Amino acid sequence: MADEFTFKIEQSYGTLSEGKGGWKTELNLVSWSERPAKYDIRPWAPGHDKMGKGITLTKEELVALKGILDGMNLA
């Protein structure tokens, strides 16, 4: 039998968007299955009991993404 999947949101940084049914795409620091926490962008149901597909980033990857975004002309 497979190990139980667990997660713990250690810190919430903010909401990027909100969709139908109250689902919110958020940036959080999440520990998956008791592993070291990583930065995580994904949609969450109200109450954080369900989640959608997302992306998990190390600190180094998040810093690299920030550098790319800072260099973009989004005006």
Side-chain angles (χ1 to χ4, degrees), residues 18-57:
E18 184 170 349
K20 294 180 181 179
W23 282 65
K24 295 179 181 179
T25 300
E26 300 176 359
L27 172 61
N28 297 311
L29 186 64
V30 181
S31 172
W32 299 100
S33 297
E34 300 183 17
R35 293 189 175 124
K38 292 186 179 182
Y39 297 91
D40 186 83
I41 301 171
R42 75 180 60 244
W44 290 89
H48 294 114
D49 57 337
K50 295 180 185 176
M51 70 205 74
K53 292 182 180 178
I55 182 170
T56 301
L57 304 164

Side-chain angles (χ1 to χ4, degrees), residues 56-75:
T56 301
L57 304 164
T58 64
K59 181 179 180 181
E60 294 77 18
E61 291 168 330
L62 186 64
V63 169
L65 176 59
K66 182 183 182 306
I68 291 167
L69 294 173
D70 285 346
M72 293 174 67
N73 181 6
L74 299 174

